[in-house]
Amino acid sequence: MSTHSKPSLADKGQAFGLRLIARAGGLEAMKNPVLRSKVERILYKSAQQGFKAQTAAGKAFARKSGSGSAIRPERSTARREFDLTPSEDQAMIQEAARELADEVIRPAGGQADTDRAVPDEVRRQAASMGLTLVGVPTDLGGVAEEASAVTSALVIEELARGDMGLAVAIMSSAAVANALVNYGDSAQQATFLPPFTDEDDPATGALAMTEPQPLFDPLRPRTLARTDGDDVVIDGQKSLVVAAASADLFIVSALLDDEPRLIVVQPGTAGLTTTDDPAMGLRAAATGRLHLDGVRVPAGNVLGTSADVLDAVRRARLAWAAAAVGTGQAVVDHLTTYTVERTAFGEPIAQRQAVAFTVADAAIEVDALRLVVWRAAAQLDAGRDAGASVAHARSLTSTYLTRVGSDGVQLLGGHGFVKEYDNERWYRDLRGAGVLEGTLLV
């Protein structure tokens, strides 16, 4: 098969098998005969042809020259109709993400929020399923047959329905891998991407764009970079960086020659230090602050163009909106059950119009945002301008999903104020989804 030919289902199984397929056999989703049949076909074909051996560079990110042009995922095939039904592949990945959220992420969310850390079991399960590689082409060690913002949005939504803090911690590395795939040249892909596709010990990374100042504009960051010979020297600060103290690689935004650019920075580089930066929400993501004081990196670490930064900003905002959909759905699901089971004055509180209308409004807002997110993601996949749709998603997230989180606390009364229920954590996480920049990408 040539480098640029479309991977077969068996090829996808070889890349996906050691991650998702190994896990899938024990999932409830495998009770679905259609999905089980597909998995069995993948395993059968993979057994016939043999799994491809994969090698990965160490965390040292040994610089490589690359060969030819950078590899990009093929663009998704545009549908002729307005169809919101996920494809067969998307349905399988969505089911796997849903099972991980229900069985692993949701039970761990409360303690992870308290500890400000991702439990080892959660990280191991997520890595074994390969969900962070849905945007990486199979030719680069990932599982993507084609570029699909829709697929990434579905995964982020399902994981955030379990817990947004853990979802952000998990998918932060996916954002770095996606940035390398979408904007990096062949040398950058060869140097920095292999550790992220390592099956045994995948690298962790963070896309650092947010800065600690009011009225922050991601396209005019105050972090500055200047060219000095064959190097780029960076000065500035980045805040709310996921796993800043432990990440294996950072991609930071900076103003270079008066244009916004993305630059790869490795931990341990002289002049780069980190401090703890705990936030109101997303505490499982262990956010920290990067301090860049004369940080010198090779000029070859600059990714893409200034236009790519705008693309990254839009894709990040859409990813945050997808996360808000997932957590908002968790709120609606809980309120639907709670208000029926909770009684006051001899009847379920759901029979009070004020309560019923509030729950109905929350469900409407979540569904509305979901439709806007899917539409924007579909526009990105089709190569159309999604700027307006992404702006709509951002506005709905910051205005209405914050209200959904607040109502989730309010309708529980005193229970909403304590950690017996997850609602107070969901509210804190939703407050950040409409204002943060970077971190996630679809």
Side-chain angles (χ1 to χ4, degrees):
M1 184 178 70
S2 65
T3 302
H4 298 289
S5 61
K6 188 174 182 179
S8 66
L9 183 61
D11 292 325
K12 288 194 298 175
Q14 290 166 352
F16 212 21
L18 293 179
R19 300 171 173 87
L20 175 59
I21 304 305
R23 166 75 176 146
L27 297 179
E28 287 292 319
M30 289 300 100
K31 294 180 181 179
N32 182 323
V34 175
L35 296 182
R36 176 170 287 279
S37 174
K38 181 166 185 172
V39 170
E40 289 173 347
R41 292 199 305 271
I42 292 174
L43 290 174
Y44 174 71
K45 291 183 180 180
S46 296
Q48 284 183 316
Q49 298 184 18
F51 285 95
K52 297 177 181 177
Q54 297 188 24
T55 59
K59 298 298 190 299
F61 297 100
R63 190 165 297 277
K64 301 180 181 178
S65 60
S67 60
S69 301
I71 296 174
R72 311 283 188 220
E74 294 183 19
R75 179 166 292 171
S76 297
T77 303
R79 301 186 184 186
R80 299 179 62 183
E81 303 85 11
F82 182 66
D83 186 1
L84 296 180
T85 304
S87 68
E88 192 176 357
D89 286 351
Q90 288 171 337
M92 182 173 70
I93 295 172
Q94 184 183 28
E95 287 280 353
R98 182 177 298 130
E99 291 293 334
L100 180 67
D102 290 340
E103 297 178 10
V104 180
I105 293 179
R106 177 68 64 82
Q111 193 60 48
D113 182 82
T114 299
D115 296 341
R116 295 189 63 225
V118 180
D120 291 339
E121 177 64 12
V122 173
R123 195 176 293 281
R124 186 187 68 79
Q125 292 277 17
S128 69
M129 294 175 69
L131 293 175
T132 61
L133 300 178
V134 295
V136 180
T138 54
D139 291 330
L140 293 175
V143 299
E145 178 181 287
E146 57 186 16
S148 178
V150 172
T151 301
S152 295
L154 291 173
V155 169
I156 291 172
E157 176 185 335
E158 292 298 339
L159 296 183
R161 191 178 56 81
D163 181 74
M164 189 187 294
L166 286 173
V168 169
I170 292 168
M171 297 304 290
S172 173
S173 297
V176 171
N178 289 347
L180 292 169
V181 168
N182 293 334
Y183 314 130
D185 59 31
S186 61
Q188 291 164 339
Q189 290 177 348
T191 299
F192 299 113
L193 192 58
F196 288 90
T197 63
D198 186 349
E199 295 171 2
D200 298 322
D201 184 23
T204 59
L207 176 60
M209 300 183 76
T210 300
E211 294 183 349
Q213 69 251 358
L215 303 178
F216 165 64
D217 181 354
L219 297 179
R220 301 295 299 178
R222 294 188 185 178
T223 298
L224 302 178
R226 57 183 173 84
T227 302
D228 184 12
D230 293 332
D231 295 334
V232 170
V233 182
I234 314 169
D235 292 280
Q237 289 190 53
K238 295 296 177 181
S239 60
L240 298 173
V241 179
V242 173
S246 59
D248 297 307
L249 195 70
F250 301 110
I251 296 180
V252 304
S253 62
L255 212 59
L256 176 62
D257 296 330
D258 204 39
E259 291 187 342
R261 304 298 289 271
L262 298 175
I263 306 173
V264 178
V265 178
Q266 294 181 238
T269 303
L272 177 66
T273 58
T274 65
T275 55
D276 200 18
D277 191 20
M280 172 182 174
L282 307 172
R283 295 182 64 80
T287 54
R289 187 171 295 192
L290 297 185
H291 305 268
L292 301 104
D293 184 11
V295 171
R296 183 179 293 269
V297 300
N301 282 22
V302 179
L303 291 179
T305 66
S306 58
D308 291 331
V309 179
L310 174 59
D311 183 69
V313 169
R314 288 177 173 174
R315 289 177 179 273
R317 290 180 172 181
L318 189 58
W320 279 111
V325 170
T327 301
Q329 188 63 56
V331 173
V332 170
D333 291 344
H334 181 258
L335 289 181
T336 301
T337 302
Y338 179 87
T339 56
V340 171
E341 296 177 348
R342 180 71 171 174
T343 59
F345 304 103
E347 64 181 10
I349 62 174
Q351 295 185 13
R352 307 293 179 89
Q353 282 190 341
V355 172
F357 288 170
T358 300
V359 177
D361 285 344
I364 290 169
E365 302 301 348
V366 171
D367 278 348
L369 178 58
R370 178 182 288 112
L371 292 175
V372 173
V373 168
W374 288 5
R375 180 180 65 180
Q379 289 172 338
L380 288 173
D381 288 346
R384 297 197 294 269
D385 184 3
S389 295
V390 171
H392 294 163
R394 181 73 161 186
S395 178
L396 290 174
T397 300
S398 60
T399 302
Y400 294 102
L401 268 292
T402 298
R403 183 185 303 170
V404 168
S406 178
D407 289 340
V409 171
Q410 187 70 22
L411 288 181
L412 266 65
H415 284 157
F417 193 66
V418 298
K419 292 184 179 295
E420 178 183 355
Y421 293 94
D422 296 325
N423 297 64
E424 60 86 26
R425 185 175 76 255
W426 292 336
Y427 168 70
R428 290 188 281 110
D429 291 345
L430 284 168
R431 291 291 299 181
V435 298
L436 296 179
E437 304 285 359
T439 306
L440 302 175
L441 283 183
V442 294

